Amino acid sequence: MNALSSDERLPLYQRLRDELAQQVCGNHWKAGEAIPTEASLAAEYGLSIGTVRKAIDMLVGERILERQQGRGTFIRRAQFQDSLFRFFRFQNLQGERLVPQSRILSVKALPATPVVSYALQLAGGAEVIRLQRLRLLEGDPVLAEEIWLPRAPFEPILNLDLNQEGPLLYPIYEELCGQVIASADETLTAEPVDAEYAQWLGIEPASPVVVIERVARGYSGQPLEWRRSRGHARHFRYSVEIR
């Protein structure tokens, strides 16, 4: 029988919640994988079903776990591609969504600037990895991205040809580096584009672009990625459902 290791002054359900969250953060289960049943966890930790259920309820409320009717409880895998379609109109003439292709323009290790250190909650001058990426639809550039990662957990990326790995980075983070993106905060702004990004996007310098800035976090809440995605205003849309 496993013992709970957190503060004994806390209620049992809180201690179990902390134990399970620690296991999720340590990749004991993979994103999308089912955790043991409530009965199994109750037996493993010597707790009542009600206590286990309350702990799981907390993790579901925090969007770390999700219940699937008739199947069990799973490590939640967030759908980050949805933000592209919330803010940009990427679709064909039939109205079908199209995921932009990916072209990595550069991958470099370098000291973090103060802005990057702040975004990733790193010590000043810490080593980071910068990716510069272009997203294309049918060969036409639609997004120019600058992506920053703390170097130590993402070191394997420096030895990989990312252009051979498909358009999505998060599966690479997970499979190659063991880093799972669990949540993200996004902000939306508009600005005139500088000369470098204007050239990438094939537009005039100072043209209006929409910028999605994202801080992506692991299950522990620690920032793992900071990115700025710039897209020409002609592709911009805003979509929200109000109930």
Side-chain angles (χ1 to χ4, degrees), residues 26-57:
N27 294 325
H28 183 75
W29 303 291
K30 294 183 179 180
E33 182 179 347
I35 68 169
T37 65
E38 292 177 357
S40 295
L41 290 171
E44 181 178 351
Y45 289 97
L47 300 172
S48 70
I49 291 287
T51 297
V52 172
R53 185 167 298 147
K54 196 167 183 178
I56 290 176
D57 284 344

Side-chain angles (χ1 to χ4, degrees), residues 13-30:
Y13 71 84
Q14 178 70 61
R15 293 168 61 192
L16 179 60
R17 177 263 168 218
D18 294 347
E19 176 71 19
L20 296 178
Q22 187 175 6
Q23 291 192 40
V24 172
C25 293
N27 294 325
H28 183 75
W29 303 291
K30 294 183 179 180

Side-chain angles (χ1 to χ4, degrees), residues 95-108:
E96 299 170 328
R97 288 180 173 183
L98 300 175
V99 176
Q101 298 167 310
S102 175
R103 181 187 301 164
I104 302 295
L105 302 178
S106 71
V107 180
K108 291 183 179 179

Side-chain angles (χ1 to χ4, degrees), residues 136-147:
L136 307 101
L137 281 180
E138 298 178 342
D140 294 327
V142 292
L143 284 177
E145 296 182 315
E146 191 170 35
I147 300 166

Side-chain angles (χ1 to χ4, degrees), residues 61-96:
E62 295 166 23
R63 299 175 67 80
I64 294 175
L65 301 179
E66 63 178 358
R67 288 190 173 95
Q68 297 182 15
Q69 187 67 33
R71 298 190 62 221
T73 303
F74 292 77
I75 308 299
R76 183 177 177 274
R77 186 187 293 278
Q79 301 299 316
F80 294 100
Q81 283 298 112
D82 289 349
S83 67
L84 285 180
F85 302 109
R86 187 185 314 129
F87 297 128
F88 293 98
R89 187 181 300 277
F90 297 145
Q91 57 190 39
N92 59 21
L93 295 176
Q94 289 72 43
E96 299 170 328

